Amino acid sequence: METRKLTCEICKNKCHMTAEVAEGEVLDVSGNGCMRGYAYAMQKVEEELENSNPS
């Protein structure tokens, strides 16, 4: 399992989040202060995964 750290840019809180990734899929996000942050982390990590493994 891989861990990715990121900072949310959605609101002024700038939450420091951790996403757990396995086999090219985001399994969990922690550290988000709201669901917008959760969605942001999911989207960012999925974009990074797509860009690192183009089909």
Side-chain angles (χ1 to χ4, degrees), residues 4-55:
R4 298 198 182 197
K5 296 190 181 285
L6 60 152
T7 301
C8 185
E9 299 174 4
I10 298 297
C11 71
K12 64 181 178 178
N13 292 331
K14 306 292 185 215
C15 295
H16 297 281
M17 300 180 288
T18 302
E20 293 181 7
V21 180
E23 298 179 18
E25 186 175 329
V26 181
L27 301 178
D28 191 30
V29 174
S30 59
N32 55 298
C34 65
M35 287 307 294
R36 292 182 302 165
Y38 181 87
Y40 172 83
M42 293 288 289
Q43 180 181 1
K44 282 298 254 191
V45 173
E46 287 174 358
E47 287 173 1
E48 290 175 6
L49 291 170
E50 288 175 7
N51 291 335
S52 67
N53 296 319
S55 302

